[in-house]
Amino acid sequence: MSITLADIASKLNTTVNGESTRIIDGLSIDSRTIFPSKNMLFIALKGERNDGHDYIPELIKKGIVNFITEKPLLHKDISSIIVNDSKEALQQIASLKRTKYTGEVIAITGSNGKTTVKEWIWSCLSDQQNVFRSPKSYNSQVGVPLSVWGINGQYQTAIIEAGISRPGEMHALQQIIRPTIGIFTTLGDAHQQHFNSWQEKLDEKIQLFKETHTIFYNGDEQLVNETLESAYPEKKHITYSRIKDNAFLHITDEKSTPDGYRLYLTNGSDSFTLNLPFQDKASVENLIMVCQVLLYYGWSFEDIQKQFNKLEPVAMRLQQLSGYNNCTIINDSYNSDLTSVKIAIDFLMQQKQHQQTVFILSDITQSGFSKRELYAQVAELVIQHKITQFIGIGQDMAEYRNLFPPNSRFFKNTGAFLQQLNDEPVKDATLLIKGARMYGFERIVQALEMKQHRTVLEIDYNAVIHNLNYYKSLLNPGTKMLVMVKALAYGSGGIEIARLLQHQRVDYLAVAFADEGVELRKSGITAPILVMNPSGLDFQTIVDH
């Protein structure tokens, strides 16, 4: 499935300025997270408030050599492709990658539950086959092409989520994903302000299923049911229902239990009681959808129950915790694959609380790569991001220890690592803990997490970013923004919030006193900081920092 710059230029009906035979194995639209490699391609997108072209000089100094831009680049060592619309070019490149993949592609759309359904289907299916899934909630006009680019030929199945917010958007996503199986979660009021009616929004969403052979949905959603049956009478429709006893999956009864929720189900002549680990309505509906997908793949109810017993809330991924010995823990012990490793390391680089970084990783059990190729890529990520110490746990990774930095450490299993932890405790570091479920990394998290904190204030980074972008939308282009982070960002975590704001490229941070600014500088904040209440005694401190 390799693609060269020449292949990309041909797809875009243009030519390459510079070396054209390089194989491209990575795409990036974010100058903050890209690392130098002759095989990385940076696509300069123009946004409402940020223009990727502005960061090209910085990226060239960093060692990036391949670019797609809307403006000519004059540099002797650079390969560039000039296009009229960078976002459209990104989508075309992803559609080129999709044409080279011959496995099953499951696409998920709907108003709610897309990411959860995707993660839970992936969690179940990946125990039996190599399965790719789009990272996080990459379901937009930009996120979908980045997701599809990540598919390689070793995956038997790919699961991609697709979201739209305005009319006319789904056609482009369908052309990129070209799914063979479709899942419609539910129809809700999200983004309804951009559509004249629910029918118009539904018609937009189901364009995704144009080339599918099978569609899954809730047969009790009357509008969804009638619209899909009318639009796609030739396709196989698999539905669940509490009303229709001829549905593929019929729910005959249901009730809450002390530990979760219980469903009484029939599938043809088979009847079964399924115990769910969650009680909230959204999780129940999402799990029913997952159940019918697994039944379609030939799973027994008994095997489905075993998998459901292991499921965890999707929100638990990349959870930050306070650790002993002045450590911060990033807990991602839910799963481990190469795509999610890249995402987790990017998160570590954005949110690290200390100068020292430690990455604890288990063997990656299903990747689609040979072991040497897989761990060579992991080692390159560790080296490129200058992680202070890498700790590998598992038999496979230890065989390729020579690929990793010299100070890396390896243990045959989780127990062996825990045995030495008291003798050699980790101190003053941000720890990323990421492992496949079978390695029981929750034991590592339990050993390192401070236990005395019973009351927790939870800050939603996505909500902070949403609010920031809302305020930006009210400003005239070119207006700079200063954000107050005094008094520990009003008690919400001064360093953490400052780091998030810096990553979002706010123009200035502001504190009340010079000492607060010094703490931010010591924690790696490089953005301009304004001290609101300086005294004459503070001037030297301000200059020094």
Side-chain angles (χ1 to χ4, degrees):
M1 293 183 67
S2 61
I3 294 175
T4 65
L5 280 173
D7 295 329
I8 291 171
S10 177
K11 176 69 175 178
L12 300 176
N13 295 316
T14 185
T15 57
V16 181
N17 301 313
E19 172 60 53
S20 64
T21 60
R22 292 191 192 113
I23 294 175
I24 299 302
D25 60 17
L27 297 183
S28 178
I29 60 169
D30 191 339
S31 64
R32 299 164 297 189
T33 59
I34 191 171
F35 59 85
S37 168
K38 67 179 182 179
N39 304 115
M40 288 293 294
L41 174 63
F42 180 77
I43 302 174
L45 298 183
K46 285 183 176 179
E48 290 184 9
R49 301 222 156 244
N50 282 311
D51 185 343
H53 297 81
D54 296 340
Y55 306 104
I56 289 176
E58 164 194 325
L59 290 170
I60 292 175
K61 291 180 182 177
K62 208 173 175 181
I64 305 301
V65 296
N66 307 304
F67 295 88
I68 286 183
T69 70
E70 297 176 14
K71 303 172 184 177
L73 287 184
L74 302 176
H75 197 288
K76 64 178 181 179
D77 300 322
I78 297 303
S79 294
S80 63
I81 298 174
I82 312 303
V83 296
N84 293 325
D85 187 322
S86 294
K87 185 175 78 171
E88 185 178 323
L90 169 64
Q91 295 173 341
Q92 289 292 316
I93 294 168
S95 68
L96 172 63
K97 185 71 174 285
R98 172 66 182 92
T99 62
K100 294 177 176 289
Y101 180 66
T102 58
E104 194 89 85
V105 177
I106 301 172
I108 304 174
T109 192
S111 299
N112 304 101
K114 296 183 291 294
T115 301
T116 299
V117 170
K118 176 200 69 184
E119 290 291 331
W120 282 344
I121 292 175
W122 174 85
S123 179
C124 294
L125 291 183
S126 60
D127 275 2
Q128 298 187 355
Q129 56 175 290
N130 286 336
V131 183
F132 174 87
R133 94 296 203 189
S134 50
K136 297 194 286 189
S137 54
Y138 280 26
N139 59 29
S140 66
Q141 299 291 302
V142 171
V144 166
L146 292 175
S147 297
V148 170
W149 178 265
I151 303 173
N152 70 56
Q154 300 303 313
Y155 292 108
Q156 291 126 311
T157 302
I159 310 172
I160 307 292
E161 63 175 290
I164 55 101
S165 58
R166 297 176 183 274
E169 291 184 337
M170 189 58 87
H171 174 73
L173 299 188
Q174 191 277 331
Q175 291 294 300
I176 299 167
I177 305 170
R178 304 191 68 159
T180 52
I181 290 177
I183 297 174
F184 192 93
T185 56
T186 186
L187 183 64
D189 58 8
H191 307 298
Q192 189 59 46
Q193 70 271 27
H194 301 305
F195 296 89
N196 294 320
S197 66
W198 286 49
Q199 183 69 63
E200 183 186 26
K201 182 167 66 175
L202 178 58
D203 290 340
E204 178 73 24
K205 287 179 178 292
I206 67 171
Q207 290 182 48
L208 180 62
F209 305 140
K210 182 179 177 182
E211 297 181 52
T212 60
H213 54 74
T214 303
I215 308 172
F216 294 84
Y217 55 95
N218 179 355
D220 292 339
E221 286 195 89
Q222 185 176 353
L223 183 60
V224 174
N225 186 73
E226 292 175 353
T227 302
L228 283 171
E229 285 186 347
S230 174
Y232 300 117
E234 77 287 358
K235 301 185 188 302
K236 187 172 185 178
H237 294 250
I238 297 184
T239 64
Y240 72 87
S241 174
R242 293 171 170 86
I243 302 169
K244 306 167 189 173
D245 56 11
N246 63 342
F248 178 78
L249 187 62
H250 181 214
I251 301 146
T252 59
D253 198 6
E254 56 193 307
K255 63 182 180 181
S256 295
T257 65
D259 300 322
Y261 202 80
R262 183 169 297 153
L263 296 172
Y264 299 87
L265 309 166
T266 61
N267 170 236
S269 59
D270 293 334
S271 298
F272 195 76
T273 301
L274 193 62
N275 293 304
L276 308 183
F278 311 109
Q279 290 182 323
D280 62 287
K281 185 178 186 299
S283 293
V284 169
E285 298 303 310
N286 291 336
L287 284 169
I288 294 172
M289 184 67 74
V290 175
C291 179
Q292 66 173 356
V293 171
L294 297 178
L295 287 169
Y296 170 82
Y297 273 92
W299 285 44
S300 68
F301 276 118
E302 289 80 3
D303 288 337
I304 293 171
Q305 182 67 75
K306 290 177 184 176
Q307 281 294 335
F308 279 13
N309 291 341
K310 301 185 220 174
L311 289 179
E312 298 182 25
V314 173
M316 293 300 291
R317 299 193 62 231
L318 294 170
Q319 178 188 29
Q320 290 197 65
L321 306 168
S322 296
Y324 290 113
N325 303 316
N326 192 34
C327 288
T328 300
I329 300 167
I330 299 175
N331 176 20
D332 198 19
S333 56
Y334 174 55
N335 58 56
S336 180
D337 62 86
L338 189 58
T339 301
S340 65
V341 166
K342 294 176 181 177
I343 292 168
I345 291 177
D346 281 346
F347 187 82
L348 171 65
M349 293 298 103
Q350 295 169 28
Q351 307 299 339
K352 62 182 181 180
Q353 312 291 315
H354 313 272
Q355 290 186 349
Q356 303 290 317
T357 51
V358 178
F359 183 19
I360 304 174
L361 177 69
S362 77
D363 281 350
I364 299 174
T365 54
Q366 296 195 17
S367 70
F369 298 97
S370 69
K371 291 179 182 178
R372 172 167 286 278
E373 185 180 6
L374 168 65
Y375 294 118
Q377 291 193 52
V378 173
E380 182 180 9
L381 289 169
V382 171
I383 294 167
Q384 292 284 355
H385 289 86
K386 299 179 181 178
I387 291 173
T388 309
Q389 185 172 47
F390 176 79
I391 297 174
I393 296 179
Q395 304 275 5
D396 291 346
M397 212 177 324
E399 294 181 23
Y400 301 98
R401 64 175 68 226
N402 62 307
L403 300 173
F404 291 84
N407 70 332
S408 300
R409 303 178 67 194
F410 296 88
F411 299 87
K412 63 180 181 180
N413 54 44
T414 302
F417 171 76
L418 289 171
Q419 284 179 1
Q420 60 78 50
L421 196 56
N422 289 333
D423 297 330
E424 302 177 52
V426 182
K427 299 179 180 179
D428 303 313
T430 305
L431 291 87
L432 172 59
I433 302 175
K434 184 165 185 59
R437 187 190 301 134
M438 61 183 289
Y439 286 89
F441 270 23
E442 65 273 8
R443 294 159 56 198
I444 298 176
V445 175
Q446 290 168 5
L448 294 173
E449 182 187 3
M450 292 184 71
K451 306 301 191 296
Q452 65 265 37
H453 297 297
R454 297 296 181 92
T455 303
V456 174
L457 171 65
E458 184 171 293
I459 308 297
D460 187 335
Y461 283 146
N462 290 329
V464 175
I465 294 170
H466 168 82
N467 294 342
L468 177 69
N469 288 333
Y470 174 76
Y471 289 123
K472 282 183 178 180
S473 72
L474 303 177
L475 302 176
N476 293 324
T479 305
K480 293 188 176 183
M481 180 177 279
L482 176 148
V483 183
M484 292 298 304
V485 292
K486 70 170 189 171
L488 302 177
Y490 299 94
S492 59
I495 294 169
E496 294 85 355
I497 296 297
R499 185 173 289 111
L500 179 68
L501 295 170
Q502 176 174 272
H503 191 69
Q504 295 299 314
R505 301 188 188 277
V506 301
D507 300 285
Y508 297 93
L509 301 173
V511 294
F513 304 104
D515 289 349
E516 295 176 311
V518 172
E519 288 302 311
L520 294 180
R521 284 282 184 260
K522 288 181 177 178
S523 299
I525 300 299
T526 58
I529 299 172
L530 179 66
V531 180
M532 302 295 286
N533 300 309
S535 72
L537 298 176
D538 292 328
F539 290 166
Q540 189 59 50
T541 299
I542 290 172
V543 170
D544 291 343
H545 292 86

